[in-house]
Amino acid sequence: MPEPSFRRVFHQVDIQRLESDPSLELLSERPLDPEVAADRALLARIEVLITGWGTPMIDADMLQLLPNLRAIAHSGGTVRPVVDPVVCERGIAVSSAAAANAIPVAEYTLALIILGAKRAFWAADRVRAGKGDEELETAWPAVGIRGRTVGIVGASTIGRLVIERLRGLELEVLLHDPTLHPVEAAELGVQPVGLAELVERSDILSLHAPSLPSTRGMIDRELIARMRPGTTLINTARGDLLDQDALAERLERGDLVALLDVAAEEPLPLHSRLRTTPNTFLTPHIAGSIGTELGRLSAHAVDEAIAFATDGSFRRGIDQKTFALRA
């Protein structure tokens, strides 16, 4: 992986754990570069490879440099930018830190749900503009978190963590996920509904689906039009899940709130209408691990590398049969 990515994510204490573990031999304390002859010699010996943000695609060509590779422990979330399907076809085990990275996203989402319900961002803009004396409840009759309906799109790892964190609040949780069995929904304590019904009933709508051909643009113009006035839309998943132009048009009416951490194109273009629409709170993809939270990713990747070296399997390996869906 690139040196800056390595320095940002990996803690020295985790490198020392690799050095001292008797079940493995650490071949390099720094990232390896396939373009360097000495590094290629090391790559040829590697059985367990730790990857991260910026790692080049491990495809059939790259695998020629890794003849002994048995496992990949990815220190990021999705492995799609790093692992070509040929890796799983050849029986190479793959693990991801998606579960570790899901924790701060769920925490951030919960914060947005509560702050959005309190109209905190609207109130902050009023204070900044010197208009803090206006009654918030007059502008937004539906305000507060108690008794509200929260709609979750996607029973992903993050979606489930958000549902778990909502249990302590007095509200109703709806869930849309066509892959979820009703028994699982009951175990989660949520009401499974169709997407249109979820959009129409939710006071707060939070997206947690993966970006797949079947989900891109799923929150389209028609569904955005169905949202009731005062609805808060939260997206900490992927920007291409929704129609941004249709959302901007609805926001310009002033009766919708959007709290967006992701965009279809990142960084969000300077000419994007979302930069100027009212009731819009934008952040630059910060819901995932940043700062001190990156330590979870470092520890997870090292834990998985040690587990494979010790037992021959990952603790959180990706099921090769469902690789395209879960990667």
Side-chain angles (χ1 to χ4, degrees), residues 129-165:
K131 302 176 183 179
D133 57 337
E134 180 176 331
E135 286 293 330
L136 186 145
E137 292 164 327
T138 301
W140 298 98
V143 63
I145 192 65
R146 183 175 183 269
R148 309 303 290 281
T149 298
V150 176
I152 303 293
V153 178
S156 60
T157 301
I158 297 170
R160 290 168 187 256
L161 287 178
V162 172
I163 291 169
E164 180 182 304
R165 283 156 172 75

PDB file of all heavy atoms in Angstrom, residues 129-165:
ATOM      1  N   ALA A 129     -26.366  33.107  11.655  1.00  0.00           N
ATOM      2  CA  ALA A 129     -26.893  34.244  10.883  1.00  0.00           C
ATOM      3  C   ALA A 129     -27.515  35.318  11.764  1.00  0.00           C
ATOM      4  O   ALA A 129     -28.085  36.284  11.264  1.00  0.00           O
ATOM      5  CB  ALA A 129     -27.928  33.736   9.879  1.00  0.00           C
ATOM      6  N   GLY A 130     -27.431  35.150  13.082  1.00  0.00           N
ATOM      7  CA  GLY A 130     -27.994  36.146  13.987  1.00  0.00           C
ATOM      8  C   GLY A 130     -29.493  36.066  14.118  1.00  0.00           C
ATOM      9  O   GLY A 130     -30.144  37.038  14.513  1.00  0.00           O
ATOM     10  N   LYS A 131     -30.068  34.924  13.832  1.00  0.00           N
ATOM     11  CA  LYS A 131     -31.530  34.769  13.876  1.00  0.00           C
ATOM     12  C   LYS A 131     -31.951  33.706  14.879  1.00  0.00           C
ATOM     13  O   LYS A 131     -32.979  33.056  14.726  1.00  0.00           O
ATOM     14  CB  LYS A 131     -32.056  34.384  12.488  1.00  0.00           C
ATOM     15  CG  LYS A 131     -31.707  35.385  11.406  1.00  0.00           C
ATOM     16  CD  LYS A 131     -32.167  34.879  10.043  1.00  0.00           C
ATOM     17  CE  LYS A 131     -31.765  35.845   8.940  1.00  0.00           C
ATOM     18  NZ  LYS A 131     -32.172  35.364   7.601  1.00  0.00           N
ATOM     19  N   GLY A 132     -31.186  33.547  15.923  1.00  0.00           N
ATOM     20  CA  GLY A 132     -31.459  32.483  16.881  1.00  0.00           C
ATOM     21  C   GLY A 132     -32.683  32.696  17.733  1.00  0.00           C
ATOM     22  O   GLY A 132     -33.048  31.828  18.516  1.00  0.00           O
ATOM     23  N   ASP A 133     -33.352  33.850  17.600  1.00  0.00           N
ATOM     24  CA  ASP A 133     -34.509  34.123  18.451  1.00  0.00           C
ATOM     25  C   ASP A 133     -35.796  33.497  17.911  1.00  0.00           C
ATOM     26  O   ASP A 133     -36.817  33.492  18.597  1.00  0.00           O
ATOM     27  CB  ASP A 133     -34.700  35.635  18.600  1.00  0.00           C
ATOM     28  CG  ASP A 133     -34.850  36.329  17.252  1.00  0.00           C
ATOM     29  OD1 ASP A 133     -34.380  35.757  16.243  1.00  0.00           O
ATOM     30  OD2 ASP A 133     -35.422  37.430  17.215  1.00  0.00           O
ATOM     31  N   GLU A 134     -35.773  32.973  16.684  1.00  0.00           N
ATOM     32  CA  GLU A 134     -36.989  32.382  16.125  1.00  0.00           C
ATOM     33  C   GLU A 134     -37.259  31.036  16.780  1.00  0.00           C
ATOM     34  O   GLU A 134     -36.353  30.234  16.998  1.00  0.00           O
ATOM     35  CB  GLU A 134     -36.850  32.186  14.613  1.00  0.00           C
ATOM     36  CG  GLU A 134     -38.092  31.570  13.982  1.00  0.00           C
ATOM     37  CD  GLU A 134     -37.978  31.481  12.465  1.00  0.00           C
ATOM     38  OE1 GLU A 134     -37.279  32.328  11.884  1.00  0.00           O
ATOM     39  OE2 GLU A 134     -38.574  30.567  11.900  1.00  0.00           O
ATOM     40  N   GLU A 135     -38.518  30.762  17.088  1.00  0.00           N
ATOM     41  CA  GLU A 135     -38.891  29.500  17.720  1.00  0.00           C
ATOM     42  C   GLU A 135     -38.691  28.339  16.755  1.00  0.00           C
ATOM     43  O   GLU A 135     -39.307  28.302  15.689  1.00  0.00           O
ATOM     44  CB  GLU A 135     -40.350  29.546  18.191  1.00  0.00           C
ATOM     45  CG  GLU A 135     -40.584  30.395  19.417  1.00  0.00           C
ATOM     46  CD  GLU A 135     -39.923  29.802  20.648  1.00  0.00           C
ATOM     47  OE1 GLU A 135     -39.793  28.566  20.718  1.00  0.00           O
ATOM     48  OE2 GLU A 135     -39.529  30.580  21.528  1.00  0.00           O
ATOM     49  N   LEU A 136     -37.895  27.379  17.150  1.00  0.00           N
ATOM     50  CA  LEU A 136     -37.609  26.228  16.312  1.00  0.00           C
ATOM     51  C   LEU A 136     -38.864  25.403  16.056  1.00  0.00           C
ATOM     52  O   LEU A 136     -39.101  24.918  14.954  1.00  0.00           O
ATOM     53  CB  LEU A 136     -36.536  25.373  16.993  1.00  0.00           C
ATOM     54  CG  LEU A 136     -35.979  24.180  16.219  1.00  0.00           C
ATOM     55  CD1 LEU A 136     -34.504  23.997  16.549  1.00  0.00           C
ATOM     56  CD2 LEU A 136     -36.721  22.906  16.566  1.00  0.00           C
ATOM     57  N   GLU A 137     -39.711  25.252  17.063  1.00  0.00           N
ATOM     58  CA  GLU A 137     -40.908  24.433  16.917  1.00  0.00           C
ATOM     59  C   GLU A 137     -41.938  25.069  15.996  1.00  0.00           C
ATOM     60  O   GLU A 137     -42.821  24.392  15.475  1.00  0.00           O
ATOM     61  CB  GLU A 137     -41.517  24.151  18.289  1.00  0.00           C
ATOM     62  CG  GLU A 137     -40.639  23.234  19.136  1.00  0.00           C
ATOM     63  CD  GLU A 137     -41.021  23.268  20.595  1.00  0.00           C
ATOM     64  OE1 GLU A 137     -41.452  24.346  21.067  1.00  0.00           O
ATOM     65  OE2 GLU A 137     -40.885  22.232  21.253  1.00  0.00           O
ATOM     66  N   THR A 138     -41.839  26.375  15.787  1.00  0.00           N
ATOM     67  CA  THR A 138     -42.736  27.040  14.842  1.00  0.00           C
ATOM     68  C   THR A 138     -42.330  26.711  13.415  1.00  0.00           C
ATOM     69  O   THR A 138     -43.176  26.448  12.550  1.00  0.00           O
ATOM     70  CB  THR A 138     -42.709  28.567  15.053  1.00  0.00           C
ATOM     71  OG1 THR A 138     -43.100  28.857  16.395  1.00  0.00           O
ATOM     72  CG2 THR A 138     -43.637  29.266  14.068  1.00  0.00           C
ATOM     73  N   ALA A 139     -41.012  26.720  13.176  1.00  0.00           N
ATOM     74  CA  ALA A 139     -40.512  26.414  11.837  1.00  0.00           C
ATOM     75  C   ALA A 139     -40.638  24.937  11.509  1.00  0.00           C
ATOM     76  O   ALA A 139     -40.888  24.559  10.355  1.00  0.00           O
ATOM     77  CB  ALA A 139     -39.053  26.859  11.721  1.00  0.00           C
ATOM     78  N   TRP A 140     -40.446  24.077  12.524  1.00  0.00           N
ATOM     79  CA  TRP A 140     -40.500  22.628  12.325  1.00  0.00           C
ATOM     80  C   TRP A 140     -41.441  22.017  13.367  1.00  0.00           C
ATOM     81  O   TRP A 140     -41.019  21.653  14.464  1.00  0.00           O
ATOM     82  CB  TRP A 140     -39.110  22.019  12.487  1.00  0.00           C
ATOM     83  CG  TRP A 140     -38.093  22.510  11.499  1.00  0.00           C
ATOM     84  CD1 TRP A 140     -37.169  23.478  11.700  1.00  0.00           C
ATOM     85  CD2 TRP A 140     -37.909  22.050  10.164  1.00  0.00           C
ATOM     86  NE1 TRP A 140     -36.411  23.662  10.577  1.00  0.00           N
ATOM     87  CE2 TRP A 140     -36.843  22.785   9.608  1.00  0.00           C
ATOM     88  CE3 TRP A 140     -38.531  21.081   9.378  1.00  0.00           C
ATOM     89  CZ2 TRP A 140     -36.390  22.594   8.309  1.00  0.00           C
ATOM     90  CZ3 TRP A 140     -38.080  20.879   8.085  1.00  0.00           C
ATOM     91  CH2 TRP A 140     -37.027  21.625   7.557  1.00  0.00           C
ATOM     92  N   PRO A 141     -42.717  21.905  13.047  1.00  0.00           N
ATOM     93  CA  PRO A 141     -43.670  21.340  14.019  1.00  0.00           C
ATOM     94  C   PRO A 141     -43.276  19.947  14.502  1.00  0.00           C
ATOM     95  O   PRO A 141     -43.502  19.600  15.664  1.00  0.00           O
ATOM     96  CB  PRO A 141     -44.982  21.303  13.224  1.00  0.00           C
ATOM     97  CG  PRO A 141     -44.817  22.357  12.184  1.00  0.00           C
ATOM     98  CD  PRO A 141     -43.374  22.334  11.817  1.00  0.00           C
ATOM     99  N   ALA A 142     -42.694  19.128  13.620  1.00  0.00           N
ATOM    100  CA  ALA A 142     -42.253  17.784  13.996  1.00  0.00           C
ATOM    101  C   ALA A 142     -40.778  17.861  14.372  1.00  0.00           C
ATOM    102  O   ALA A 142     -39.906  17.861  13.507  1.00  0.00           O
ATOM    103  CB  ALA A 142     -42.467  16.798  12.860  1.00  0.00           C
ATOM    104  N   VAL A 143     -40.504  17.943  15.661  1.00  0.00           N
ATOM    105  CA  VAL A 143     -39.123  18.059  16.128  1.00  0.00           C
ATOM    106  C   VAL A 143     -38.952  17.206  17.374  1.00  0.00           C
ATOM    107  O   VAL A 143     -39.896  17.011  18.149  1.00  0.00           O
ATOM    108  CB  VAL A 143     -38.751  19.540  16.407  1.00  0.00           C
ATOM    109  CG1 VAL A 143     -39.590  20.109  17.517  1.00  0.00           C
ATOM    110  CG2 VAL A 143     -37.278  19.696  16.707  1.00  0.00           C
ATOM    111  N   GLY A 144     -37.757  16.646  17.562  1.00  0.00           N
ATOM    112  CA  GLY A 144     -37.505  15.766  18.700  1.00  0.00           C
ATOM    113  C   GLY A 144     -37.422  14.321  18.252  1.00  0.00           C
ATOM    114  O   GLY A 144     -37.925  13.950  17.192  1.00  0.00           O
ATOM    115  N   ILE A 145     -36.787  13.473  19.061  1.00  0.00           N
ATOM    116  CA  ILE A 145     -36.548  12.089  18.678  1.00  0.00           C
ATOM    117  C   ILE A 145     -37.608  11.142  19.222  1.00  0.00           C
ATOM    118  O   ILE A 145     -37.883  10.096  18.619  1.00  0.00           O
ATOM    119  CB  ILE A 145     -35.135  11.638  19.134  1.00  0.00           C
ATOM    120  CG1 ILE A 145     -34.745  10.299  18.498  1.00  0.00           C
ATOM    121  CG2 ILE A 145     -35.051  11.556  20.649  1.00  0.00           C
ATOM    122  CD1 ILE A 145     -34.591  10.332  17.010  1.00  0.00           C
ATOM    123  N   ARG A 146     -38.222  11.456  20.349  1.00  0.00           N
ATOM    124  CA  ARG A 146     -39.187  10.538  20.969  1.00  0.00           C
ATOM    125  C   ARG A 146     -40.416  10.336  20.078  1.00  0.00           C
ATOM    126  O   ARG A 146     -41.000  11.275  19.561  1.00  0.00           O
ATOM    127  CB  ARG A 146     -39.624  11.077  22.327  1.00  0.00           C
ATOM    128  CG  ARG A 146     -40.571  10.150  23.079  1.00  0.00           C
ATOM    129  CD  ARG A 146     -40.855  10.694  24.475  1.00  0.00           C
ATOM    130  NE  ARG A 146     -41.707   9.781  25.226  1.00  0.00           N
ATOM    131  CZ  ARG A 146     -43.039   9.857  25.234  1.00  0.00           C
ATOM    132  NH1 ARG A 146     -43.659  10.794  24.536  1.00  0.00           N
ATOM    133  NH2 ARG A 146     -43.746   9.005  25.950  1.00  0.00           N
ATOM    134  N   GLY A 147     -40.772   9.055  19.883  1.00  0.00           N
ATOM    135  CA  GLY A 147     -41.973   8.730  19.132  1.00  0.00           C
ATOM    136  C   GLY A 147     -41.838   8.830  17.631  1.00  0.00           C
ATOM    137  O   GLY A 147     -42.820   8.661  16.900  1.00  0.00           O
ATOM    138  N   ARG A 148     -40.633   9.078  17.144  1.00  0.00           N
ATOM    139  CA  ARG A 148     -40.441   9.220  15.700  1.00  0.00           C
ATOM    140  C   ARG A 148     -40.281   7.856  15.046  1.00  0.00           C
ATOM    141  O   ARG A 148     -40.030   6.841  15.699  1.00  0.00           O
ATOM    142  CB  ARG A 148     -39.215  10.083  15.395  1.00  0.00           C
ATOM    143  CG  ARG A 148     -39.188  11.409  16.115  1.00  0.00           C
ATOM    144  CD  ARG A 148     -40.419  12.277  15.835  1.00  0.00           C
ATOM    145  NE  ARG A 148     -40.449  12.779  14.481  1.00  0.00           N
ATOM    146  CZ  ARG A 148     -39.728  13.831  14.052  1.00  0.00           C
ATOM    147  NH1 ARG A 148     -38.920  14.452  14.885  1.00  0.00           N
ATOM    148  NH2 ARG A 148     -39.814  14.230  12.812  1.00  0.00           N
ATOM    149  N   THR A 149     -40.389   7.837  13.733  1.00  0.00           N
ATOM    150  CA  THR A 149     -40.199   6.616  12.951  1.00  0.00           C
ATOM    151  C   THR A 149     -38.915   6.744  12.147  1.00  0.00           C
ATOM    152  O   THR A 149     -38.756   7.680  11.361  1.00  0.00           O
ATOM    153  CB  THR A 149     -41.383   6.369  12.002  1.00  0.00           C
ATOM    154  OG1 THR A 149     -42.572   6.196  12.776  1.00  0.00           O
ATOM    155  CG2 THR A 149     -41.156   5.117  11.165  1.00  0.00           C
ATOM    156  N   VAL A 150     -37.997   5.803  12.363  1.00  0.00           N
ATOM    157  CA  VAL A 150     -36.718   5.791  11.655  1.00  0.00           C
ATOM    158  C   VAL A 150     -36.737   4.644  10.657  1.00  0.00           C
ATOM    159  O   VAL A 150     -37.023   3.495  11.021  1.00  0.00           O
ATOM    160  CB  VAL A 150     -35.529   5.623  12.623  1.00  0.00           C
ATOM    161  CG1 VAL A 150     -34.218   5.523  11.841  1.00  0.00           C
ATOM    162  CG2 VAL A 150     -35.477   6.780  13.608  1.00  0.00           C
ATOM    163  N   GLY A 151     -36.437   4.932   9.408  1.00  0.00           N
ATOM    164  CA  GLY A 151     -36.376   3.915   8.367  1.00  0.00           C
ATOM    165  C   GLY A 151     -34.936   3.604   8.003  1.00  0.00           C
ATOM    166  O   GLY A 151     -34.169   4.523   7.676  1.00  0.00           O
ATOM    167  N   ILE A 152     -34.555   2.342   8.068  1.00  0.00           N
ATOM    168  CA  ILE A 152     -33.205   1.898   7.731  1.00  0.00           C
ATOM    169  C   ILE A 152     -33.262   1.149   6.409  1.00  0.00           C
ATOM    170  O   ILE A 152     -34.051   0.215   6.250  1.00  0.00           O
ATOM    171  CB  ILE A 152     -32.620   0.969   8.815  1.00  0.00           C
ATOM    172  CG1 ILE A 152     -32.624   1.659  10.178  1.00  0.00           C
ATOM    173  CG2 ILE A 152     -31.226   0.500   8.429  1.00  0.00           C
ATOM    174  CD1 ILE A 152     -31.700   2.841  10.287  1.00  0.00           C
ATOM    175  N   VAL A 153     -32.442   1.566   5.446  1.00  0.00           N
ATOM    176  CA  VAL A 153     -32.356   0.878   4.155  1.00  0.00           C
ATOM    177  C   VAL A 153     -31.073   0.055   4.148  1.00  0.00           C
ATOM    178  O   VAL A 153     -29.976   0.599   4.072  1.00  0.00           O
ATOM    179  CB  VAL A 153     -32.361   1.871   2.979  1.00  0.00           C
ATOM    180  CG1 VAL A 153     -32.210   1.126   1.660  1.00  0.00           C
ATOM    181  CG2 VAL A 153     -33.645   2.698   2.984  1.00  0.00           C
ATOM    182  N   GLY A 154     -31.211  -1.262   4.262  1.00  0.00           N
ATOM    183  CA  GLY A 154     -30.052  -2.150   4.219  1.00  0.00           C
ATOM    184  C   GLY A 154     -29.682  -2.726   5.574  1.00  0.00           C
ATOM    185  O   GLY A 154     -29.298  -1.987   6.481  1.00  0.00           O
ATOM    186  N   ALA A 155     -29.824  -4.042   5.704  1.00  0.00           N
ATOM    187  CA  ALA A 155     -29.423  -4.728   6.942  1.00  0.00           C
ATOM    188  C   ALA A 155     -27.965  -5.142   6.849  1.00  0.00           C
ATOM    189  O   ALA A 155     -27.592  -6.281   7.132  1.00  0.00           O
ATOM    190  CB  ALA A 155     -30.313  -5.939   7.192  1.00  0.00           C
ATOM    191  N   SER A 156     -27.119  -4.210   6.443  1.00  0.00           N
ATOM    192  CA  SER A 156     -25.683  -4.441   6.365  1.00  0.00           C
ATOM    193  C   SER A 156     -25.113  -4.476   7.773  1.00  0.00           C
ATOM    194  O   SER A 156     -25.839  -4.296   8.761  1.00  0.00           O
ATOM    195  CB  SER A 156     -25.032  -3.309   5.575  1.00  0.00           C
ATOM    196  OG  SER A 156     -25.272  -2.069   6.225  1.00  0.00           O
ATOM    197  N   THR A 157     -23.818  -4.695   7.884  1.00  0.00           N
ATOM    198  CA  THR A 157     -23.182  -4.653   9.206  1.00  0.00           C
ATOM    199  C   THR A 157     -23.444  -3.315   9.873  1.00  0.00           C
ATOM    200  O   THR A 157     -23.789  -3.248  11.057  1.00  0.00           O
ATOM    201  CB  THR A 157     -21.668  -4.889   9.083  1.00  0.00           C
ATOM    202  OG1 THR A 157     -21.439  -6.161   8.474  1.00  0.00           O
ATOM    203  CG2 THR A 157     -20.997  -4.854  10.446  1.00  0.00           C
ATOM    204  N   ILE A 158     -23.307  -2.221   9.104  1.00  0.00           N
ATOM    205  CA  ILE A 158     -23.542  -0.889   9.663  1.00  0.00           C
ATOM    206  C   ILE A 158     -25.011  -0.710   9.991  1.00  0.00           C
ATOM    207  O   ILE A 158     -25.365  -0.209  11.066  1.00  0.00           O
ATOM    208  CB  ILE A 158     -23.059   0.198   8.683  1.00  0.00           C
ATOM    209  CG1 ILE A 158     -21.558   0.081   8.464  1.00  0.00           C
ATOM    210  CG2 ILE A 158     -23.417   1.590   9.207  1.00  0.00           C
ATOM    211  CD1 ILE A 158     -21.034   0.955   7.332  1.00  0.00           C
ATOM    212  N   GLY A 159     -25.886  -1.118   9.072  1.00  0.00           N
ATOM    213  CA  GLY A 159     -27.314  -0.990   9.323  1.00  0.00           C
ATOM    214  C   GLY A 159     -27.732  -1.680  10.602  1.00  0.00           C
ATOM    215  O   GLY A 159     -28.518  -1.151  11.403  1.00  0.00           O
ATOM    216  N   ARG A 160     -27.205  -2.878  10.837  1.00  0.00           N
ATOM    217  CA  ARG A 160     -27.543  -3.634  12.052  1.00  0.00           C
ATOM    218  C   ARG A 160     -26.992  -2.948  13.302  1.00  0.00           C
ATOM    219  O   ARG A 160     -27.644  -2.943  14.353  1.00  0.00           O
ATOM    220  CB  ARG A 160     -26.994  -5.060  11.950  1.00  0.00           C
ATOM    221  CG  ARG A 160     -27.729  -5.909  10.912  1.00  0.00           C
ATOM    222  CD  ARG A 160     -26.990  -7.205  10.623  1.00  0.00           C
ATOM    223  NE  ARG A 160     -27.599  -7.935   9.523  1.00  0.00           N
ATOM    224  CZ  ARG A 160     -28.357  -9.026   9.666  1.00  0.00           C
ATOM    225  NH1 ARG A 160     -28.585  -9.510  10.875  1.00  0.00           N
ATOM    226  NH2 ARG A 160     -28.875  -9.631   8.617  1.00  0.00           N
ATOM    227  N   LEU A 161     -25.787  -2.374  13.199  1.00  0.00           N
ATOM    228  CA  LEU A 161     -25.224  -1.660  14.346  1.00  0.00           C
ATOM    229  C   LEU A 161     -26.048  -0.413  14.678  1.00  0.00           C
ATOM    230  O   LEU A 161     -26.236  -0.078  15.850  1.00  0.00           O
ATOM    231  CB  LEU A 161     -23.776  -1.263  14.067  1.00  0.00           C
ATOM    232  CG  LEU A 161     -22.738  -2.382  14.095  1.00  0.00           C
ATOM    233  CD1 LEU A 161     -21.359  -1.838  13.743  1.00  0.00           C
ATOM    234  CD2 LEU A 161     -22.696  -3.063  15.453  1.00  0.00           C
ATOM    235  N   VAL A 162     -26.553   0.262  13.642  1.00  0.00           N
ATOM    236  CA  VAL A 162     -27.408   1.427  13.880  1.00  0.00           C
ATOM    237  C   VAL A 162     -28.690   0.990  14.577  1.00  0.00           C
ATOM    238  O   VAL A 162     -29.133   1.620  15.552  1.00  0.00           O
ATOM    239  CB  VAL A 162     -27.723   2.150  12.558  1.00  0.00           C
ATOM    240  CG1 VAL A 162     -28.767   3.246  12.785  1.00  0.00           C
ATOM    241  CG2 VAL A 162     -26.454   2.757  11.963  1.00  0.00           C
ATOM    242  N   ILE A 163     -29.293  -0.094  14.091  1.00  0.00           N
ATOM    243  CA  ILE A 163     -30.518  -0.610  14.723  1.00  0.00           C
ATOM    244  C   ILE A 163     -30.261  -0.944  16.185  1.00  0.00           C
ATOM    245  O   ILE A 163     -31.066  -0.629  17.072  1.00  0.00           O
ATOM    246  CB  ILE A 163     -31.018  -1.849  13.952  1.00  0.00           C
ATOM    247  CG1 ILE A 163     -31.544  -1.441  12.574  1.00  0.00           C
ATOM    248  CG2 ILE A 163     -32.101  -2.579  14.742  1.00  0.00           C
ATOM    249  CD1 ILE A 163     -31.808  -2.601  11.639  1.00  0.00           C
ATOM    250  N   GLU A 164     -29.132  -1.572  16.448  1.00  0.00           N
ATOM    251  CA  GLU A 164     -28.770  -1.927  17.826  1.00  0.00           C
ATOM    252  C   GLU A 164     -28.675  -0.697  18.701  1.00  0.00           C
ATOM    253  O   GLU A 164     -29.146  -0.688  19.855  1.00  0.00           O
ATOM    254  CB  GLU A 164     -27.435  -2.675  17.788  1.00  0.00           C
ATOM    255  CG  GLU A 164     -26.914  -3.128  19.141  1.00  0.00           C
ATOM    256  CD  GLU A 164     -25.572  -3.820  18.998  1.00  0.00           C
ATOM    257  OE1 GLU A 164     -25.485  -4.809  18.237  1.00  0.00           O
ATOM    258  OE2 GLU A 164     -24.597  -3.356  19.633  1.00  0.00           O
ATOM    259  N   ARG A 165     -28.082   0.380  18.175  1.00  0.00           N
ATOM    260  CA  ARG A 165     -27.905   1.598  18.956  1.00  0.00           C
ATOM    261  C   ARG A 165     -29.196   2.384  19.121  1.00  0.00           C
ATOM    262  O   ARG A 165     -29.296   3.222  20.024  1.00  0.00           O
ATOM    263  CB  ARG A 165     -26.814   2.467  18.307  1.00  0.00           C
ATOM    264  CG  ARG A 165     -25.418   1.949  18.604  1.00  0.00           C
ATOM    265  CD  ARG A 165     -24.398   2.387  17.573  1.00  0.00           C
ATOM    266  NE  ARG A 165     -23.051   2.024  17.989  1.00  0.00           N
ATOM    267  CZ  ARG A 165     -22.570   0.776  17.947  1.00  0.00           C
ATOM    268  NH1 ARG A 165     -23.335  -0.213  17.497  1.00  0.00           N
ATOM    269  NH2 ARG A 165     -21.331   0.513  18.349  1.00  0.00           N
TER     270      ARG A 165
END
